[in-house]
Amino acid sequence: FATTRTATSEASKRRSGHICRRRKKAGQLEQYPVDPIVLDRWECKNIFDAEFSHVRNYTPARCEKIRHEHEAFWNTRTWAAPSYIPPDPPISLSERSAFAAFNGPRTQLYSCVLPGQIVYQCMEQIASGLLNPTELLGIQHLIVDEFQDLNPCDLEFINSIADSGVTTFVAGDDDQSIYSFRFASPLGIQTFHKRHPTTQTHVLEGCFRCTPSILSAARAVLSRNLSPQSIPKNLYSLHRDSTENSMLLWSFETHKQEALAIAKSCRSLIDSGVSHREIVILLSNRRIQEKTLSDAFDAEGLPYSLPREDGYGESDGGRLALSCLRIACNGNDYVAHRTLLGVLPRIGISTCNGIAEKALVNNLSYIALFKQKPPPDIFTNREAQALSRAVSICEAVSAWAPEDSIGDRKDEISEILLMHLNPEAVDAWLGAIERLPSQSTLKEALTYIQSDTDEQQTSILDNIALRLDNSPPSLTTAPMRVRILTVHGAKGLGAQVVFIPGMEDDIWPGEYRNPYPGLVQEAARLLYVAITRSRAACIVSHSKKRFVFGTMKKQTPSRFGSQLNGRFTSRSTGLSTDEANRIRNSIEQLQPRPAAEAPERQITVPPTNILQKSPARTNSIPNQSLLIDDLRNKLATGQVLCIVGAGASIAATNRNQNASWLGLLRSGLEYCMQVVQPPPPMQWRDNIINDIETGRITGDTLPLLSAAEKISQKLGAPSGAEFSNWLDHDVGALKVVNPSLIKSILALGTPIATTNYDGLIEDVSGLPPVSSRDPRDIERAFRGERPGIVHLHGWWRHPDTVVLGLRSYESILANAHGQAMLQALASMKTLVFIGFGSGLDDPNFGSLLQWRASTFRSSSYRHYQLARFGETINAGAGLSLLYYGTEHSDLEPFLKSLIQTATPSAV
């Protein structure tokens, strides 16, 4: 249902769209001409508030306050919302009545709704017995993310579904509840277990992002500003602390000194090798802080980006271009037509409102005014001429389709902008789409321009590249700019270095929060979120004097400053070259610490039929004599195929790092940085390191495959010379140091296949390698017609056969002959996986095992994975775990114990 409210209008708009679709299914949207659009921030201000002001002769600012009171009511279902701060003077009953009289007809005319209205209307229908979401959609399970961001109306909606018997899972963090201005409260998640007493709780306490000192400072602020019902947590960092101080606290004489020091610090960091995009400046009050910082960055000549609220869509040219794209993608977008009309020069709010009023009075369809000639003698000459100008644009756009390429249409949009606005609007349009491939569709271009963040735009570019069968461009085309963000806008993001300026009471917590203790607590949570955006270094600063709204004022240091586990030091300039280099070295050295070094934490999870407790580890291995006897019998009758993983190569090379997948990825990354021309940017390297470490810590294969794909593409896989050189340099150089484990595998007398690229088994056995270059060779090998070691994922001397990244896995999964052969083996043989210690999350074998489990659901035959007892193994579907011991060294004697009759390997 995705009812979560966020600080970004477009995200709210998309989420409310989900609710619209459900209400449409229930027949609840018939009151609107077409599916309504949720107005974004610009549309609320420049269309709704502006027309309300014109009709009622209130100031636009007063109209905004009247609307905000209604949004507070819709979000909380009470006129006395606890998080609502009424204006002075308060909204009167006559103003409420005037709003209601305007809102209903106008939103129907434009087929739109205001933020918060959709969920409120849903709850009205539910309370009246006219809507039952559970029955309507057949819901059995409900997952709600970011639960701390829900407002009371959202919570009531979720509770109504949970109370109907739907199994509900909510996820969130009350310490990150920072949206009181959208009427969210941490109480929603803090009291969920009281509202639903059978709830089971699982607390995640390991922090993947921050070093211990950064996390400690953030937690220190929270500990001094806890709300009464805060959920207890004992968070710990999964990283080692850097030798460089991670938390820096600076004090400046003036706000200009502070801003210039931050700009020069960014210059020093960039010169030392830190990527622009890994530096973030977080603002708590844009009106006070932004101008001084942007002036300092301009003076330093540094590229930077401001919060997207002032982005392309805020200008008349941006809105005109967006309206053209929206109309091309949805010819029934009433709001886009109204926007197009209002941004044209010499068409003011009086004309737009006059057209709207006459359409209401004369029972006209608003959108029909843009598609056909209006009835005579209704509109004034000025209004008719305005409509005629808009109609000429709509007629041109109506010939476009959502699937048209932006390359084919960008010049036409440029002509519209040039004809109706100015050359600057054309330049801004071309700049807004400069990163888009020309083959991008208009629909993709619209989504791209409306995105809230650079990260969302990058994801869209990646998807376009994949659709076009190109290499994802994001790592090389992401804009190299230092990001200046609001703290709310940075939630969910992270960076290596974060600056938090303005640690003064007028900004943290802020003058308007001071009278309200609950909002001061929220400001502490906001600071906690800000600090924990940083990974390697967080620099918090304050100034003793600041220019505030035209007056230089002496500043009081923030009450939070003394809670940061450190002492502020006076500065007159930014980071020196040596300081920046030390931070850069810290970033290089910053690696998550092994799980064995992480502090032990106990999390109590009550028994439930959903969350099962893991069995306690002991030193005694469970009795598996039945499974061992079964495997021995299968070996004796020649029914076994051994599939060997990286564990065998690691053992044979005495733990050479390139024998493991993680080690190979790390060496491949460093190889890229040394040989690829031009050298890849440091951002590209940092992203891959992040993928590798995320996969290592979580055990998730997907980020590792993503890293492998990026490395493969950079080296020109599968046929590039550097890809071949890398395999030769890293895999081909592996040598057998200790052959005993491989000899034990060979002594089982089974056919042998491997997922390893190396030839270590061949070096010990003297058998030839068999790669997938010719699938018939593998078939002959498995039939016993050609002896050899089958390389299921490729052999290093045949680079074109190596399966490493996502695309190569897609190719092997699409190979009908290869998949059929594996399925035949899984049907006729007992597969024994050796050296797959972390589990079989491999896409190829995962797909195979799922196929077998589904096809042979009632089969009594087993496949086995040999595992070390005591480690966490996510066994594949249909696999039986067979523990060989508690240490890696126990594998070899276990294999020898299985042998009844030793015969030479046929394959």
Side-chain angles (χ1 to χ4, degrees):
F1 273 76
T3 58
T4 302
R5 304 291 305 166
T6 73
T8 52
S9 57
E10 286 302 328
S12 300
K13 190 171 177 180
R14 288 190 293 273
R15 274 182 278 277
S16 297
H18 296 310
I19 303 295
C20 285
R21 288 191 285 276
R22 275 107 179 122
R23 291 191 61 202
K24 180 179 181 181
K25 187 172 182 178
Q28 302 278 324
L29 300 182
E30 300 302 325
Q31 61 178 297
Y32 299 98
V34 296
D35 290 354
I37 299 293
V38 182
L39 297 182
D40 65 22
R41 186 175 63 90
W42 186 95
E43 293 159 346
C44 285
K45 176 181 178 181
N46 293 279
I47 297 177
F48 190 92
D49 293 347
E51 291 189 8
F52 183 34
S53 170
H54 193 79
V55 169
R56 302 300 303 191
N57 290 321
Y58 301 140
T59 66
R62 188 64 178 175
C63 289
E64 181 181 11
K65 292 175 181 177
I66 297 170
R67 169 173 58 82
H68 192 249
E69 186 203 44
H70 276 76
E71 290 177 356
F73 173 72
W74 293 330
N75 283 288
T76 63
R77 292 170 60 79
T78 175
W79 290 109
S83 298
Y84 173 65
I85 302 175
D88 186 16
I91 307 302
S92 66
L93 290 177
S94 63
E95 287 174 322
R96 285 185 189 171
S97 299
F99 180 91
F102 177 82
N103 176 54
R106 198 57 54 115
T107 52
Q108 284 188 332
L109 179 72
Y110 293 148
S111 197
C112 65
V113 292
L114 293 168
Q117 203 170 5
I118 281 286
V119 181
Y120 171 77
Q121 290 178 355
C122 277
M123 289 311 305
E124 291 286 281
Q125 297 290 332
I126 292 171
S128 302
L130 301 175
L131 178 66
N132 188 324
T134 304
E135 290 182 1
L136 180 68
L137 300 176
I139 304 171
Q140 294 180 341
H141 305 280
L142 175 66
I143 301 175
V144 186
D145 195 14
E146 302 289 2
F147 197 78
Q148 78 280 351
D149 294 340
L150 301 190
N151 59 50
C153 191
D154 295 332
L155 291 170
E156 190 176 350
F157 181 65
I158 297 302
N159 286 330
S160 70
I161 297 175
D163 290 342
S164 69
V166 173
T167 302
T168 303
F169 179 92
V170 306
D173 180 2
D174 60 323
D175 291 337
Q176 297 191 56
S177 179
I178 57 174
Y179 293 123
S180 66
F181 65 91
R182 294 192 180 276
F183 313 104
S185 166
L187 282 174
I189 193 167
Q190 289 169 349
T191 60
F192 186 81
H193 66 289
K194 296 179 181 178
R195 178 69 173 74
H196 304 279
T198 60
T199 296
Q200 310 299 325
T201 301
H202 182 67
V203 181
L204 303 178
E205 295 185 321
C207 175
F208 286 88
R209 180 183 290 124
C210 308
T211 62
S213 57
I214 291 175
L215 181 61
S216 176
R219 293 293 298 168
V221 173
L222 277 185
S223 67
R224 300 276 293 275
N225 299 275
L226 287 176
S227 59
Q229 302 190 56
S230 293
I231 299 173
K233 307 177 193 71
N234 192 10
L235 299 184
Y236 62 93
S237 173
L238 293 172
H239 294 272
R240 294 189 182 94
D241 233 338
S242 168
T243 54
E244 179 71 15
N245 186 12
S246 299
M247 283 293 301
L248 300 177
L249 307 178
W250 290 352
S251 175
F252 294 92
E253 289 296 322
T254 69
H255 64 300
K256 286 190 175 181
Q257 277 188 357
E258 179 189 52
L260 287 171
I262 292 173
K264 290 184 179 297
S265 295
C266 293
R267 170 65 70 193
S268 297
L269 288 166
I270 292 165
D271 289 346
S272 75
V274 178
S275 168
H276 292 68
R277 292 188 55 77
E278 286 298 338
I279 305 171
V280 166
I281 294 96
L282 296 181
L283 309 182
S284 179
N285 190 319
R286 290 185 63 193
R287 292 187 303 163
I288 294 177
Q289 296 177 279
E290 185 178 289
K291 179 66 165 56
T292 307
L293 276 166
S294 60
D295 287 347
F297 273 77
D298 289 338
E300 189 63 29
L302 277 175
Y304 63 95
S305 62
L306 294 173
R308 197 169 288 276
E309 289 91 335
D310 290 338
Y312 180 62
E314 298 295 297
S315 65
D316 285 350
R319 282 287 159 169
L320 179 54
L322 279 171
S323 296
C324 291
L325 291 173
R326 285 172 59 172
I327 293 170
C329 294
N330 176 12
N332 289 322
D333 187 335
Y334 282 54
V335 177
H337 286 79
R338 164 61 181 84
T339 301
L340 184 149
L341 176 69
V343 297
L344 295 177
R346 300 182 303 282
I347 299 179
I349 191 64
S350 177
T351 301
C352 291
N353 187 68
I355 293 171
E357 291 284 328
K358 289 173 182 175
L360 283 169
V361 170
N362 293 279
N363 303 318
L364 300 177
S365 165
Y366 186 76
I367 204 166
L369 302 177
F370 297 83
K371 297 185 176 183
Q372 58 195 41
K373 189 174 181 180
D377 304 325
I378 291 181
F379 299 103
T380 66
N381 287 338
R382 186 177 185 84
E383 292 165 348
Q385 290 173 2
L387 280 172
S388 177
R389 292 171 62 194
V391 166
S392 67
I393 299 175
C394 292
E395 286 177 345
V397 173
S398 64
W400 305 351
E403 294 75 25
D404 290 354
S405 74
I406 193 68
D408 290 338
R409 299 301 183 190
K410 71 174 183 179
D411 289 342
E412 294 177 65
I413 295 178
S414 297
E415 291 175 7
I416 291 172
L417 293 169
L418 184 60
M419 179 182 299
H420 294 277
L421 294 176
N422 49 52
E424 289 75 19
V426 177
D427 293 339
W429 155 248
L430 296 177
I433 61 170
E434 64 181 350
R435 295 174 64 201
L436 280 170
S438 60
Q439 305 97 314
S440 305
T441 66
L442 297 185
K443 186 175 182 180
E444 290 168 335
L446 175 61
T447 306
Y448 173 84
I449 295 174
Q450 288 183 319
S451 296
D452 298 316
T453 64
D454 287 339
E455 285 71 20
Q456 290 177 6
Q457 288 193 337
T458 295
S459 177
I460 293 167
L461 290 175
D462 287 348
N463 290 332
I464 294 172
L466 291 173
R467 177 179 66 79
L468 299 173
D469 199 28
N470 295 331
S471 173
S474 61
L475 298 178
T476 54
T477 62
M480 285 295 104
R481 299 190 292 258
V482 175
R483 291 175 290 174
I484 301 176
L485 302 170
T486 64
V487 182
H488 288 97
K491 190 161 178 275
L493 304 179
Q496 296 287 1
V497 184
V498 171
F499 292 86
I500 306 175
M503 192 51 53
E504 300 131 32
D505 234 43
D506 281 352
I507 297 176
W508 293 94
E511 191 174 20
Y512 78 94
R513 292 191 182 101
N514 271 330
Y516 306 95
L519 292 184
V520 173
Q521 289 177 336
E522 184 186 57
R525 296 194 295 271
L526 193 67
L527 181 55
Y528 167 78
V529 169
I531 293 172
T532 54
R533 298 313 91 195
S534 52
R535 183 168 183 238
C538 180
I539 302 173
V540 180
S541 60
H542 78 91
S543 64
K544 298 176 182 177
K545 296 179 182 178
R546 184 175 296 276
F547 202 68
V548 179
F549 305 135
T551 303
M552 182 67 78
K553 291 179 59 178
K554 184 178 179 180
Q555 295 296 300
T556 302
S558 169
R559 66 197 70 183
F560 301 139
S562 62
Q563 303 168 9
L564 291 170
N565 289 350
R567 180 183 180 85
F568 282 81
T569 58
S570 295
R571 300 279 297 208
S572 59
T573 186
L575 291 169
S576 67
T577 300
D578 287 344
E579 289 172 322
N581 286 335
R582 287 200 295 270
I583 291 177
R584 181 69 187 98
N585 291 337
S586 297
I587 294 171
E588 292 278 1
Q589 298 166 7
L590 191 60
Q591 300 291 342
R593 59 181 167 190
E597 296 183 19
E600 292 186 3
R601 294 291 185 273
Q602 291 184 343
I603 301 174
T604 301
V605 183
T608 163
N609 61 341
I610 299 174
L611 295 175
Q612 297 294 335
K613 288 184 177 180
S614 300
R617 295 183 183 180
T618 67
N619 291 325
S620 59
I621 299 175
N623 186 348
Q624 295 184 295
S625 57
L626 290 176
L627 297 180
I628 292 173
D629 288 344
D630 176 62
L631 179 54
R632 281 175 175 160
N633 290 334
K634 296 297 189 296
L635 285 166
T637 54
Q639 299 181 50
V640 173
L641 168 65
C642 284
I643 301 179
V644 180
S649 294
I650 294 171
T653 60
N654 275 353
R655 306 193 69 80
N656 186 307
Q657 65 170 357
N658 292 345
S660 70
W661 194 24
L662 282 172
L664 188 63
L665 292 180
R666 291 188 181 112
S667 67
L669 173 60
E670 293 309 314
Y671 189 87
C672 287
M673 299 305 295
Q674 293 185 43
V675 305
V676 172
Q677 295 296 327
M682 295 306 297
Q683 170 71 23
W684 181 87
R685 180 180 183 273
D686 292 343
N687 283 341
I688 294 181
I689 290 174
N690 184 64
D691 284 343
I692 293 173
E693 294 307 320
T694 300
R696 183 184 70 81
I697 294 171
T698 64
D700 186 358
T701 306
L702 188 57
L704 298 177
L705 290 172
S706 175
E709 178 63 28
K710 294 165 186 171
I711 292 169
S712 299
Q713 292 296 316
K714 192 63 72 174
L715 293 175
S719 56
E722 289 300 351
F723 184 65
S724 177
N725 290 340
W726 169 56
L727 292 174
D728 185 28
H729 180 270
D730 285 355
V731 181
L734 294 175
K735 302 297 180 185
V736 176
V737 178
N738 182 1
S740 58
L741 178 59
I742 293 178
K743 287 182 177 179
S744 298
I745 296 172
L746 291 166
L748 294 176
T750 71
I752 295 177
T754 181
T755 57
N756 302 333
Y757 314 130
D758 58 66
L760 300 179
I761 301 177
E762 290 91 326
D763 292 343
V764 176
S765 66
L767 295 170
V770 180
S771 77
S772 59
R773 180 168 282 183
D774 186 347
R776 293 173 298 178
D777 288 346
I778 295 181
E779 191 172 355
R780 294 187 190 103
F782 282 129
R783 287 178 176 272
E785 298 173 1
R786 175 180 175 179
I789 305 300
V790 174
H791 287 261
L792 296 173
H793 288 173
W795 180 45
W796 69 276
R797 286 192 181 276
H798 294 168
D800 56 306
T801 67
V802 169
V803 179
L804 181 63
L806 288 168
R807 294 196 183 195
S808 54
Y809 270 104
E810 290 173 0
S811 297
I812 196 172
L813 289 171
N815 186 318
H817 181 276
Q819 292 302 306
M821 186 164 47
L822 284 177
Q823 290 171 4
L825 289 169
S827 304
M828 303 305 296
K829 292 278 190 180
T830 293
L831 304 183
V832 177
F833 293 90
I834 305 173
F836 294 84
S838 62
L840 279 165
D841 294 327
D842 175 282
N844 190 22
F845 288 115
S847 175
L848 171 68
L849 294 169
Q850 289 174 6
W851 167 84
R852 186 186 181 279
S854 174
T855 306
F856 299 96
R857 199 166 298 166
S858 58
S859 175
S860 60
Y861 295 99
R862 302 182 183 91
H863 297 303
Y864 292 100
Q865 179 180 351
L866 303 191
R868 182 168 58 89
F869 185 71
E871 64 182 334
T872 302
I873 297 290
N874 298 318
L879 276 183
S880 296
L881 286 180
L882 197 53
Y883 297 114
Y884 58 78
T886 59
E887 304 295 334
H888 290 296
S889 58
D890 294 333
L891 177 56
E892 184 182 340
F894 177 81
L895 292 174
K896 291 178 179 178
S897 74
L898 296 175
I899 301 170
Q900 292 182 343
T901 56
T903 57
S905 302
V907 177

